[in-house]
Amino acid sequence: YKGEVKSRMPKAPAQTNGKKIALVGGGPASLTVARDLAPLGYEIDLYDEQDFGGGFMRSQIPSFRLPETVLNEEVNYILDIGNISTHFKTYVSSLQDLLGKGYDAIFVGTGAPRGRDLVIEGRKEINSNIHIGIDWLASVAFGHIEKIGAKVIILGGGNTAMDCCRTSRRLGGTDVKVVVRSPFDEMKASPWEIEDAQHEDIPFFNCHNPKAFVHENGKLRGMLFEKVKAEQQNGKRVLIPTGEADVFFEADDVIIAIGQENSFPWIEKNLGLEFDKYGMPVVDKYTYASTHPKVFFGGDAAFGPKNVITAVAHGHQAAVSIDLFCQQLDLNVRPSPMTNLIAQKMGIHEWS
């Protein structure tokens, strides 16, 4: 039964092991690290600028999919393990300062907090009614946005786009369209997310490449799209124009959900932590270690936007690495993937 879950959660030992770990970000990756390390005796400090834990699960997953009461309950199962100190409403502005606090290791699970804009013809002339997907979802979640225009265009074919289109329907959008550059079978959204949107009679317009925002005196009127098709050229998939007439869709609002980017303005460049040409930290895909010996990454902050399950998997692997690092052991000599970090006695009825 639901009420029996809490009694089965692991508990932190009364005696700590003397090691302190800082977690930056309160999303699924960081919460997983906390859940794995606290029962081993580590003292955990979790920092997040939001009011509560959950990260993008709270700010970007609509409440009709993940009710706040359920999220609070699940997050608290972890925070109540013990030896986890939360520092909510706290923005970490300097990794150097955090390293100076003497933590034995630091885990960065800050997500991919910056949505991509779409700079095409007409964009600079329009100051309202064009929204960035993840920012718009956060504004809805926190009650800053409560309605939207009747005619809405969603740009993008990922899970964020699916959340945006379904949320738009619930905020007053009666004519909501999802417009995607790629063919339907190449969309990045999970199949069940696409299916849920289709069940709400939300149409998809694939192979439509955004060409321009159409406006009058700075007010959005709609968007112009070029029809394209996917072809293989020199072993690569490319989108080429079909030569058909451009397509115009009217819109009161446009929500751009074409991807997310990581943003690390708080990480100084002189700490020995390397970034690649895309601004992503150089992270080992096996150990989740960065080029700084004490700093580990996971979730969207490590390899870009994925999903909750991937972030949790990253957290488990990073926790193993942090535990090995704090014991001065080889990070590459790891337990079997099916190994539990804690042991728990189970009665005969619990096995049946």
Side-chain angles (χ1 to χ4, degrees), residues 94-111:
S94 168
L95 178 58
Q96 186 171 17
D97 289 350
L98 201 61
L99 286 165
K101 293 184 177 181
Y103 289 107
D104 294 283
I106 295 173
F107 176 79
V108 179
T110 50

Side-chain angles (χ1 to χ4, degrees), residues 114-134:
R114 185 173 61 192
R116 292 177 183 166
D117 202 345
L118 180 62
V119 183
I120 57 176
E121 181 183 339
R123 178 66 179 96
K124 293 182 180 179
E125 289 76 21
I126 304 173
N127 297 317
S128 60
N129 299 89
I130 297 179
H131 318 275
I132 304 300
I134 61 171

Side-chain angles (χ1 to χ4, degrees), residues 63-127:
S63 60
F64 64 83
R65 286 183 55 205
L66 179 58
E68 186 177 20
T69 53
V70 174
L71 179 59
N72 289 340
E73 185 176 34
E74 295 292 330
V75 169
N76 287 335
Y77 282 149
I78 294 173
L79 299 183
D80 291 344
I81 288 173
N83 290 343
I84 301 173
S85 299
T86 57
H87 305 269
F88 294 127
K89 301 182 182 180
T90 302
Y91 176 75
V92 175
S93 59
S94 168
L95 178 58
Q96 186 171 17
D97 289 350
L98 201 61
L99 286 165
K101 293 184 177 181
Y103 289 107
D104 294 283
I106 295 173
F107 176 79
V108 179
T110 50
R114 185 173 61 192
R116 292 177 183 166
D117 202 345
L118 180 62
V119 183
I120 57 176
E121 181 183 339
R123 178 66 179 96
K124 293 182 180 179
E125 289 76 21
I126 304 173
N127 297 317

Side-chain angles (χ1 to χ4, degrees), residues 8 345-352:
R8 298 170 186 268
K345 283 189 175 181
M346 298 181 71
I348 187 170
H349 299 293
E350 293 166 292
W351 284 108
S352 59

